[in-house]
Amino acid sequence: MSLPPEKASELKKIIHNHLLKMDIHGKIREVLAEVVRDEQGAAHQSLSEADFLRALQRRGIVDDMMKDLHFTQEANTDAETGSPQKPDTHFADITQMKKTYIDPSRRYLYLQVLGGRAFLEHLQEPERLPGQVCSTFTLYLHFRNKRFRSKPVPCGCEPDLREGFVLEIHRDGMGEGTKMADATTMLSMCDPVHLVLIKTDTSSETTLVSSYFLDWRAVLSLSSGKTCLALELMGVGSECKVPAGVLTVSLELYPPLTETLSTDIISTQQSLERQRTAEKERLFLVYAKQWWREFLEIRPSHKSKMVKIFAQDENGVNRPVCSYVRVLRAGRLLESPRQAARFVSLLAHEKAQVVGGGGKQEQWCTLMAFLCRGKGDCEDHATLLCSLLLGFGLDAYVCVGTKAKGVPHTWVLTRGTDGSITFWESLTAHRYLHHPIDPDAPPLAPQPKPSSPYRTVGCVFNHQIFLANCQPSDAVDLCVFDFQNQTRWKAMSEEALKSVCAPGSTTSLPPLPPLCAPALDPASASNQLELEMRYLVSEHRKDLGLVTVWDDHLSYLLSSALSVYELERCTGVSCGNEEFQDAVRRAVPEGHTFKGFPIHFLHCNARRAFATCLRSAFCEEIVCCRGDHMRLAIRVRVFVYPENACAVWLMFACKYLSVL
């Protein structure tokens, strides 16, 4: 088989780089020296090429070289089936990735995790029995718009985290992506590798263990292009000063640098970046203090308003709240703002608690940590929803205020071009149209009724703007969201905010990760969960001495209702329910009674779902139904969103002959 010239030269370059990487010349010299010594010890004979090749084969060098040399083909389309290439998901699943295509014209950083140690929280972890379900660690990485995930490993004092990640290092700018990055170019890349360690317990609950930013540029000073590091992972929240464990990683540049940089140059560059960041943050803090003093001088009551300028992330770092919002585009993963709101609402809500109780702990998570964990507080949901709505071109802001009984809360606000104000609840995807009450209107004049659950608002912000409410009352019902009116809203300088919150403005700003396409297949997940639920219902009825007979046709008819329910959650519009009702009337014979019970979950755990269902008296009445010609039906629909967020709808139903 003949190769085109460009492919032949590419193949030669790959083989040449591979031989350099395994130091083939050094190994050949060692074997040659040994063979010559052996020949001098014995009777002198001329050394032929065949003898030398046999010596290389005996020492396994040829086998090692061929074993490590793999060629993979780009899977743009399947030649036999014609199936299209799987779309780019910005996510590499190491559990499925066996081979990685390496472009010889590009530079790569090979990050290898060599294991963990000193995770003392798991020191007393009992030895796992074969087949036993246990808690696991999963390591997530983000680097320059690509995300990676390791396979889960059992938790322990020394977890067996051993994975390799190939990170592509390319130049920024038009036409620069095809050029190989040199040492000077890579030195200017201050993007860290963000590592997030997640613990998943036996009930599928996730916990954020550590969030670490790795500066990889130390490898630029090594002629071998390879180094090994021990990363001390710190805890999160109130434990951010306590070590969680140590992760051993090795970094290797491929291909190796022909010209390296001195350690002094690298440390100087890093020091300059830290100094520049510290100076910008210092100047912003000075400005923020002056701005706050001016705000308090307007009215003494402003001191009690919820005006939040800074917030702590999971590592205990204080950052301006505007830096938590970025313009985030979801590509093909989300089709509309309302679908984005539905996706955010499917991420579980959990407050960060102080160890030993004591109330709510203040903790805003970086977007990467929030997405990897799959749950967070209302602030995490609101900043993510605001970022997505900005990506869809809306004029969106995060609101900080209170709900009923003075409970602190954050939600999202959008302004229409016609001046309309819409509130978005990020935890439920509900939307509320805001109509302010006019306090100066005559007593008998009709006033709009409050439609939202929000009581007060202290400030609003997005990635560029921060505004504090300086109206006489901070009540939402009386608030006018005219942000251009300086007598109602006091704005921070956009230039000051840009100096510390704009992308690339400071090295302390976490990079923005992309959303990942779901890995779950909705059809197979629905079928699996439905089979498990059928088994649990049958076993439960068997314990009650009841026989279970399933009606597959009725089960199928329930699908359209579940689809309508999810569509209504996404769009706020109900349509198609008439067809479901008509189909049920046709499927239920005259004189029979039909009962149905739909329920919604955010997980795919069958036992947890069934236990929750039985807490409802109406659902238990259906599951435990007795009667003549009684037939049961169940349907499960799993709707999958980015980040494997799931909307799980179940519907139990039964029909039986009514006997008076």
Side-chain angles (χ1 to χ4, degrees):
M1 182 183 69
S2 61
L3 286 173
E6 63 274 8
K7 288 292 182 183
S9 62
E10 182 180 335
L11 181 61
K12 289 178 183 177
K13 186 180 288 188
I14 291 173
I15 295 174
H16 177 70
N17 289 333
H18 178 72
L19 295 178
L20 285 177
K21 184 179 177 182
M22 65 177 297
D23 191 22
I24 190 67
H25 297 97
K27 293 180 179 179
I28 289 175
R29 281 194 292 270
E30 291 175 7
V31 173
L32 184 60
E34 291 179 13
V35 172
V36 170
R37 280 200 305 272
D38 293 342
E39 292 295 336
Q40 288 176 348
H44 177 70
Q45 296 178 356
S46 60
L47 181 64
S48 66
E49 184 177 340
D51 294 333
F52 185 62
L53 282 174
R54 279 195 295 272
L56 289 174
Q57 288 175 336
R58 280 198 305 271
R59 285 158 178 79
I61 292 176
V62 175
D63 292 338
D64 290 343
M65 180 182 69
M66 298 306 296
K67 181 177 65 178
D68 294 337
L69 189 60
H70 297 292
F71 302 100
T72 59
Q73 194 172 11
E74 288 184 84
N76 292 327
T77 56
D78 192 317
E80 295 180 3
T81 63
S83 59
Q85 179 189 8
K86 188 176 180 180
D88 186 12
T89 62
H90 299 287
F91 198 98
D93 188 350
I94 299 302
T95 60
Q96 298 176 356
M97 187 177 68
K98 301 300 181 185
K99 297 179 182 179
T100 302
Y101 175 75
I102 300 295
D103 185 348
S105 65
R106 291 205 172 197
R107 184 86 64 188
Y108 295 88
L109 177 68
Y110 181 52
L111 188 151
Q112 191 173 12
V113 183
L114 303 176
R117 51 189 169 87
F119 284 83
L120 301 180
E121 187 177 337
H122 302 275
L123 189 61
Q124 304 298 326
E125 200 85 15
E127 187 174 349
R128 186 171 66 97
L129 299 174
Q132 181 184 2
V133 179
C134 65
S135 301
T136 59
F137 281 141
T138 307
L139 185 66
Y140 295 83
L141 271 76
H142 169 226
F143 181 69
R144 293 177 73 81
N145 210 39
K146 290 288 184 182
R147 288 172 58 187
F148 303 84
R149 176 183 60 203
S150 74
K151 63 176 182 292
V153 300
C155 293
C157 186
E158 296 184 356
D160 191 29
L161 282 164
R162 297 183 183 276
E163 296 288 354
F165 306 94
V166 179
L167 314 179
E168 185 176 343
I169 303 174
H170 57 83
R171 298 175 181 227
D172 293 321
M174 188 68 68
E176 297 289 331
T178 57
K179 299 178 183 178
M180 185 178 290
D182 56 15
T184 307
T185 303
M186 288 189 286
L187 181 63
S188 64
M189 296 178 184
C190 54
D191 306 67
V193 180
H194 191 181
L195 296 94
V196 174
L197 186 63
I198 299 292
K199 176 185 174 182
T200 308
D201 64 17
T202 53
S203 61
S204 301
E205 290 294 322
T206 55
T207 306
L208 177 61
V209 178
S210 184
S211 174
Y212 187 91
F213 294 94
L214 170 64
D215 192 334
W216 51 274
R217 289 175 292 179
V219 76
L220 302 178
S221 65
L222 304 170
S223 57
S224 63
K226 187 173 182 179
T227 185
C228 192
L229 304 170
L231 310 180
E232 186 179 38
L233 305 183
M234 308 302 287
V236 295
S238 59
E239 301 175 24
C240 62
K241 304 297 182 185
V242 181
V246 176
L247 208 60
T248 305
V249 301
S250 72
L251 302 175
E252 182 177 2
L253 277 178
Y254 174 81
L257 291 171
T258 53
E259 295 182 7
T260 60
L261 302 174
S262 69
T263 54
D264 291 340
I265 292 177
I266 296 173
S267 59
T268 301
Q269 173 70 14
Q270 293 170 336
S271 178
L272 285 173
E273 290 172 355
R274 285 193 296 269
Q275 290 174 14
R276 195 180 304 120
T277 295
E279 180 63 15
K280 286 183 177 181
E281 291 174 346
R282 185 189 68 81
L283 291 174
F284 180 77
L285 181 60
V286 170
Y287 167 76
K289 287 181 177 179
Q290 176 62 31
W291 180 91
W292 177 247
R293 282 193 293 268
E294 293 173 358
F295 180 69
L296 294 182
E297 288 173 0
I298 299 174
R299 284 188 188 88
S301 61
H302 284 180
K303 194 170 185 179
S304 61
K305 286 190 176 182
M306 293 196 66
V307 179
K308 188 147 194 74
I309 304 172
F310 295 93
Q312 276 193 356
D313 64 13
E314 68 269 19
N315 291 327
V317 178
N318 267 315
R319 295 196 283 120
V321 291
C322 294
S323 67
Y324 289 88
V325 178
R326 307 278 281 276
V327 178
L328 179 60
R329 296 180 178 88
R332 303 284 183 180
L333 301 180
L334 296 171
E335 300 295 337
S336 68
R338 296 195 185 189
Q339 193 180 30
R342 175 62 172 157
F343 155 64
V344 175
S345 71
L346 294 175
L347 300 173
H349 176 224
E350 182 177 271
K351 296 178 180 292
Q353 296 293 331
V354 180
V355 176
K360 181 179 181 294
Q361 177 191 337
E362 180 76 12
Q363 178 182 312
W364 295 34
C365 281
T366 58
L367 181 55
M368 177 68 176
F370 177 41
L371 293 176
C372 293
R373 188 184 174 208
K375 59 184 177 182
D377 211 339
C378 59
E379 295 88 359
D380 305 319
H381 288 78
T383 52
L384 173 57
L385 178 57
C386 185
S387 299
L388 288 168
L389 295 183
L390 287 168
F392 277 108
L394 300 184
D395 188 18
Y397 303 82
V398 175
C399 299
V400 179
T402 60
K403 293 195 298 184
K405 299 181 180 179
V407 177
H409 191 63
T410 57
W411 65 97
V412 178
L413 170 153
T414 54
R415 295 196 310 160
T417 53
D418 58 352
S420 61
I421 301 296
T422 305
F423 295 144
W424 302 63
E425 177 49 63
S426 58
L427 299 180
T428 61
H430 291 165
R431 301 165 68 251
Y432 309 95
L433 202 60
H434 173 66
H435 297 290
I437 295 173
D438 185 4
D440 300 324
L444 297 179
Q447 295 279 17
K449 292 184 178 180
S451 60
S452 71
Y454 315 119
R455 294 295 173 261
T456 65
V457 56
C459 65
V460 300
F461 65 89
N462 60 19
H463 62 306
Q464 294 176 329
I465 297 171
F466 184 94
L467 298 151
N469 185 0
C470 53
Q471 298 173 62
S473 171
D474 58 357
V476 170
D477 300 339
L478 302 174
C479 190
V480 177
F481 292 92
D482 179 10
F483 296 152
Q484 280 69 42
N485 190 333
Q486 297 182 8
T487 63
R488 298 181 184 273
W489 296 90
K490 180 172 174 58
M492 270 194 169
S493 164
E494 291 189 27
E495 287 300 318
L497 290 169
K498 190 183 296 184
S499 68
V500 290
C501 298
S505 58
T506 64
T507 55
S508 63
L509 205 60
L512 180 70
L515 293 183
C516 292
L520 286 175
D521 176 35
S524 60
S526 301
N527 289 336
Q528 179 64 28
L529 186 54
E530 187 171 311
L531 287 173
E532 293 176 8
M533 293 299 296
R534 281 197 176 203
Y535 171 78
L536 292 172
V537 171
S538 299
E539 290 297 306
H540 183 74
R541 288 177 60 84
K542 188 185 295 184
D543 293 341
L544 299 175
L546 301 174
V547 178
T548 304
V549 182
W550 295 102
D551 187 330
D552 292 334
H553 176 62
L554 184 59
S555 296
Y556 177 73
L557 297 184
L558 303 179
S559 288
S560 61
L562 301 183
S563 180
V564 167
Y565 299 152
E566 181 60 22
L567 184 65
E568 186 178 0
R569 290 290 181 97
C570 269
T571 63
V573 178
S574 178
C575 60
N577 212 30
E578 300 82 4
E579 292 87 347
F580 166 67
Q581 293 172 0
D582 186 63
V584 168
R585 290 190 187 100
R586 291 175 178 275
V588 177
E590 188 175 348
H592 283 64
T593 299
F594 171 83
K595 292 181 179 180
F597 175 77
I599 190 169
H600 175 252
F601 295 99
L602 303 183
H603 60 81
C604 294
N605 189 310
R607 292 191 179 276
R608 281 173 57 196
F610 189 58
T612 305
C613 292
L614 289 181
R615 294 193 194 109
S616 166
F618 192 71
C619 180
E620 187 180 20
E621 182 182 331
I622 294 175
V623 171
C624 305
C625 185
R626 305 166 185 258
D628 191 17
H629 291 80
M630 207 283 293
R631 298 290 184 268
L632 277 175
I634 186 172
R635 194 63 171 176
V636 177
R637 285 291 306 273
V638 178
F639 298 89
V640 181
Y641 288 81
E643 303 292 332
N644 284 333
C646 293
V648 180
W649 285 96
L650 282 80
M651 192 167 186
F652 296 93
C654 67
K655 65 177 182 179
Y656 56 90
L657 182 63
S658 301
V659 179
L660 297 177

